[in-house]
Amino acid sequence: MTATLPVSGGGFEPYDVIVGQGLLSQLGVLIAPLVRGRTVIITDETVASLHGPAALASLQAAGVRGRLLTVPPGENSKSFAELERVIDRLLAFGLDRRDLIIALGGGVVGDLAGLAAALYMRGIDVVQVPTTLLAQVDSSVGGKTAIDTPRGKNLVGAFHQPRMVVADIDVLATLPARQLRSGWAEVLKHGLICDRDFFDWLAGEGAVGAKGDPVALTRAVVRSVEIKSAIVGEDEKEAGRRALLNLGHTFGHAIEAELGFDEDLLTHGEAVALGCAMAFRLSAALGLCAGAEAERVGTAVAAAGLPTRLEHAGVFRAERLLARMAGDKKAEGGRLTLILARAIGDAFVDKAVDSAALIDFLKGEGAA
Ligand code: GLY
């Protein structure tokens, strides 16, 4: 099955997210209608060796001129230095505003290549070809692009919507199991935000997707993209409803930061899963949702092999976590914004969480 999912909103050109199996070999044909000049595939060295030849062959078969530009794998590539190097290479290639960038990779490549496209000659077209589950269900859709600075993650960026997103489920087969599970956290998040039936399926027969079943993965990616694109269509610049997509992220980001963003200890997706479980437990503790709902979330998260509780609890101090949460760029004027829930599938933005209640909650979770 191949699904074509439209993304549209008031402030940007509509585009399609195409989800299915075997799409990398059709990449050239799919993007040909968008190509007015040349293309450059920006990717990392790992993805280049796995999928670069297939992507280039597909462009060539469709008569699309393309070449590869590789960056080192890993979060360190989301830097001013690497952005400058990428833009310098594009200039050396003589790319102009009719040309097209193809971001082939996970979240790091999508963010870096997307930002390079936003800036190059005041903006050229980009097609996102996400190769991780996390990128397919989240970062490739919606136009957020960014690099990090030593002061924090994703602090310098732009909204630059892609012209198309091509999500090939088959490429997920090359992902390490832990990375696939991490992407599953963002899938669960979408059900938790606004689709109880989807969550029920994910927690039941759809759970095989977290282990790589391609049919379940296709359905999980399609529904996640539908949910995300509906929210982005309503609120591209995160003035309101788009903040719901940060469910689990404020807790998760604070925990990741305390662990020095060491992906060996905790991946981003694991942090999001833990953050979702915590957001539901806090919602229950505040009397906003039933305790049984929080328990169900914890069970589904654990069944997917994702963490539900703070490990190394002694490492965390409640005050430090709170300070991180308040310093998160999603905090407005120092006030804490959290995504909480009335039930599974019914999340909301809460801008009035009391700091003292949050400290008590974090101590109850095992922070010192
Ligand atoms: N990853 C959250 C968003 O795109 O808004």
Side-chain angles (χ1 to χ4, degrees):
M1 171 188 103
T2 296
T4 300
L5 310 167
V7 188
S8 62
F12 59 90
E13 283 272 307
Y15 57 95
D16 287 335
V17 181
I18 303 174
V19 182
Q21 293 186 250
L23 295 185
L24 199 56
S25 61
Q26 294 176 46
L27 181 63
V29 174
L30 290 170
I31 68 164
L34 303 173
V35 176
R36 294 175 295 154
R38 292 165 295 168
T39 68
V40 174
I41 300 175
I42 300 181
T43 188
D44 71 28
E45 286 146 12
T46 310
V47 177
S49 62
L50 287 169
H51 305 303
L56 281 172
S58 159
L59 296 186
Q60 198 180 21
V64 173
R65 279 196 290 161
R67 65 192 299 170
L68 280 187
L69 194 174
T70 55
V71 301
E75 187 76 21
N76 286 346
S77 283
K78 283 178 57 173
S79 65
F80 274 114
E82 199 55 37
L83 178 67
E84 185 177 6
R85 196 186 71 84
V86 165
I87 287 180
D88 182 63
R89 295 313 302 149
L90 299 178
L91 288 166
F93 295 160
L95 229 63
D96 68 37
R97 295 188 66 188
R98 291 168 310 133
D99 296 327
L100 174 84
I101 286 177
I102 300 168
L104 174 70
V108 168
V109 162
D111 264 350
L112 177 68
L115 184 55
L119 296 173
Y120 190 79
M121 307 236 164
R122 299 196 180 87
I124 63 170
D125 289 345
V126 61
V127 167
Q128 294 279 351
V129 186
T131 59
T132 63
L133 180 57
L134 191 141
Q136 292 192 352
V137 298
D138 187 19
S139 54
S140 66
V141 179
K144 281 188 180 175
T145 72
I147 55 169
D148 308 330
T149 88
R151 292 184 188 275
K153 287 205 168 202
N154 294 328
L155 293 181
V156 175
F159 287 96
H160 189 59
Q161 299 289 343
R163 296 296 313 282
M164 181 183 276
V165 180
V166 180
D168 183 351
I169 300 298
D170 286 343
V171 303
L172 304 180
T174 59
L175 284 184
R178 188 174 178 196
Q179 246 198 72
L180 192 70
R181 288 198 299 273
S182 296
W184 196 252
E186 302 278 1
V187 175
L188 289 170
K189 178 194 82 175
H190 288 119
L192 293 172
I193 291 171
C194 62
D195 189 342
R196 191 178 184 95
D197 289 345
F198 181 43
F199 178 85
D200 287 345
W201 178 78
L202 293 169
E205 59 178 309
V208 288
K211 298 189 168 63
D213 179 84
V215 175
L217 275 170
T218 305
R219 181 164 163 188
V221 174
V222 166
R223 185 66 193 128
S224 290
V225 170
E226 284 172 347
I227 290 170
K228 176 153 189 184
S229 54
I231 292 174
V232 168
E234 271 177 50
D235 176 24
E236 184 197 9
K237 301 277 168 67
E238 201 170 308
R241 196 169 153 70
R242 186 165 179 167
L244 292 175
L245 295 170
N246 299 326
L247 176 64
H249 283 65
T250 305
F251 281 119
H253 190 266
I255 294 163
E256 281 181 285
E258 284 297 284
L259 294 174
F261 294 102
D262 183 340
E263 291 259 322
D264 290 334
L265 287 176
L266 194 73
T267 66
H268 175 66
E270 287 164 352
V272 169
L274 172 57
C276 286
M278 289 174 76
F280 270 78
R281 283 197 293 275
L282 176 61
S283 302
L286 296 175
L288 298 165
C289 91
E293 294 286 270
E295 273 171 38
R296 267 204 83 200
V297 175
T299 304
V301 166
L306 292 160
T308 62
R309 295 275 171 192
L310 279 182
E311 281 169 31
H312 327 288
V315 170
F316 299 103
R317 295 184 53 79
E319 276 81 7
R320 282 185 61 92
L321 285 172
L322 179 69
R324 296 267 192 201
M325 291 168 80
D328 191 282
K329 71 181 181 307
K330 287 147 204 139
E332 283 171 21
R335 271 186 320 169
L336 200 63
T337 299
L338 273 178
I339 313 305
L340 298 179
R342 296 180 198 94
I344 290 169
D346 186 9
F348 66 98
V349 181
D350 193 328
K351 297 192 171 180
V353 179
D354 178 52
S355 304
L358 196 50
I359 291 281
D360 282 350
F361 171 74
L362 290 168
K363 289 188 173 162
E365 291 281 307

